[in-house]
Amino acid sequence: MNLPIKILNFKAQIAFLIISLNMAQYISVGFFSESLAAILRQDGLSLKKIGAVYFIGLFYGFRFLWAPFVEFAVAKMGGVYKNFIVVILTLMIISLGITSFLNVRENLGFILIMAGLLGFLSATSAIASSALIIKISTPQNLASANSLGASGNFIGHVLGTGVTLIIYANFGWIASTLFLVFLTLIALFMIITFKELPRELEKSQNHVNFKNMAMFFKDKKFWLSVLMLQGVGVCMSFGLINPILVDSGRGLDEVGKIVHIYGLCGVLLGSVIASYLINKLGSIKTIILVTLIQAAGILTLLLPILGYTNFIVLVLVCQICFAVYTVGAVSVSTMIMRKATKHPASECALQSSISMLFQYISFALGFVIASFVGYKATVVFSSIICIGVFFYILKFKKFI
């Protein structure tokens, strides 16, 4: 398949490949964390037990632990990431197929085990996919590749959490899980039909090597601090969107539409803005500028907090929040890939894991602070943190 059109400086086939791989990575994690949580809650399960489903997202935070094994496996496959990704996607399809025959009420324990396996496979696919994207991109279009990836995550979020939940509500468990199988098959088809040129990997990649990964930050200490700090402010407020909307008087179905369908359109907007800014300003200047944009963007959450709960206002607030979060995520992700020059899979996984772990901590921190001082003070505080991070990165940018 070789379509004669281009999307964000990529041939259509490669653009759809990047989108479909990112979509496939997200749909299972999205469904078995967010949608399954809603299904179990509807069945009367306690919040304490439901919390277990969110652990599958932790595989993304710790994927650096097995990234060298992925690099080793790819080296044994002739340095072709495609072959490894085909194996992982096939395992995901088999796992989803097995899960479709389970009963959500009678086989919950087994379903959670399969969800954990899918979380692991999804994170493993992300390790190899990131390295593949670096391989098929140039320094000039790497930002576009990350924008396409963010769009794939957006589509995966809408389909994996929104549409699949609607299918479950109307047609049941088997139909919803088979829909996930169908979506993963699309990614499998795209990667199978893609012709990846073999490239000899470095000798150090022919064996499992944690030493190189441990040495990665030796001369990149300030970049490490940026990975830790960049998302703190925006994530502290970003995680509060759902409870703020619920407390504004909107029902769960309305919150689902506002956040997971209309609001997510902000991801597409953020992807385009990020690609434009990175190409115009470069990654570092974009990251610096983004922290200021985020400081202003998350303040829009004050509107519903102060009682402005018109439907259009809420949609715009969500879209702005998703847009400013995405601009930051794409710019950091692009910088991560540019710094992963020697061992792409391991170095990308290590940097992404650190960034993601601190984002998880920031999400939780936002809830804790809000429980003490309320939404308004938390949003203002997180905006101030964004401004503080702006001055920090601005001062030390020459070391990044």
Side-chain angles (χ1 to χ4, degrees), residues 54-351:
Y54 288 98
F55 279 105
I56 68 171
L58 288 179
F59 284 106
Y60 271 79
F62 291 99
R63 57 183 152 164
F64 69 93
L65 293 175
W66 63 92
F69 292 95
V70 173
E71 209 131 48
F72 172 73
V74 171
K76 289 297 181 186
M77 292 178 175
V80 179
Y81 292 99
K82 165 185 171 177
N83 298 339
F84 182 83
I85 296 172
V86 167
V87 172
I88 297 299
L89 289 178
T90 302
L91 291 174
M92 289 175 68
I93 290 168
I94 294 172
S95 302
L96 285 167
I98 293 172
T99 309
S100 69
F101 291 103
L102 301 176
N103 185 296
V104 71
R105 292 181 178 83
E106 298 173 0
N107 310 114
L108 180 59
F110 195 11
I111 287 176
L112 291 178
I113 291 173
M114 296 304 293
L117 175 61
L118 282 161
F120 170 75
L121 292 172
S122 178
T124 305
S125 175
I127 295 170
S129 297
S130 297
L132 174 63
I133 289 173
I134 293 173
K135 180 179 177 180
I136 62 179
S137 302
T138 64
Q140 290 73 32
N141 63 15
L142 197 54
S144 300
N146 278 289
S147 294
L148 290 169
S151 300
N153 289 336
F154 157 73
I155 295 170
H157 189 102
V158 172
L159 295 177
T161 60
V163 175
T164 311
L165 192 57
I166 294 171
I167 292 174
Y168 173 81
N170 290 280
F171 303 102
W173 179 259
I174 294 177
S176 57
T177 48
L178 289 181
F179 180 62
L180 297 177
V181 170
F182 169 72
L183 296 174
T184 311
L185 277 170
I186 293 175
L188 182 62
F189 171 76
M190 293 304 299
I191 190 70
I192 286 176
T193 55
F194 172 66
K195 292 182 180 178
E196 180 188 355
L197 298 175
R199 181 187 296 171
E200 191 174 343
L201 302 181
E202 290 189 9
K203 290 182 179 179
S204 59
Q205 290 171 286
N206 286 318
H207 58 274
V208 178
N209 192 334
F210 283 94
K211 183 180 178 182
N212 290 326
M213 198 164 61
M215 297 295 289
F216 176 75
F217 285 112
K218 184 180 179 182
D219 57 347
K220 301 180 181 66
K221 294 182 178 61
F222 286 103
W223 172 237
L224 174 62
S225 66
V226 172
L227 287 174
M228 294 175 176
L229 296 173
Q230 195 278 331
V232 171
V234 68
C235 289
M236 281 175 56
S237 285
F238 191 69
L240 297 175
I241 292 177
N242 276 330
I244 287 175
L245 264 58
V246 170
D247 290 351
S248 72
R250 294 285 173 176
L252 287 178
D253 55 339
E254 284 186 295
V255 172
K257 289 178 183 175
I258 292 170
V259 177
H260 298 296
I261 295 179
Y262 302 119
L264 275 172
C265 293
V267 174
L268 295 179
L269 176 64
S271 299
V272 174
I273 293 173
S275 180
Y276 175 79
L277 289 176
I278 294 169
N279 287 327
K280 284 288 182 184
L281 305 175
S283 298
I284 295 176
K285 288 182 178 178
T286 301
I287 290 174
I288 294 171
L289 178 62
V290 162
T291 54
L292 274 188
I293 295 173
Q294 290 174 335
I298 57 179
L299 286 178
T300 59
L301 279 169
L302 291 175
L303 290 172
I305 294 171
L306 294 173
Y308 297 95
T309 56
N310 177 278
F311 183 83
I312 294 176
V313 171
L314 294 180
V315 168
L316 288 174
V317 168
C318 287
Q319 289 178 341
I320 290 171
C321 287
F322 272 105
V324 298
Y325 174 82
T326 302
V327 176
V330 171
S331 57
V332 170
S333 179
T334 303
M335 194 74 179
I336 284 174
M337 288 186 173
R338 284 181 175 164
K339 286 187 174 293
T341 53
K342 294 181 179 177
H343 307 86
S346 299
E347 292 171 359
C348 264
L350 176 63
Q351 297 174 80

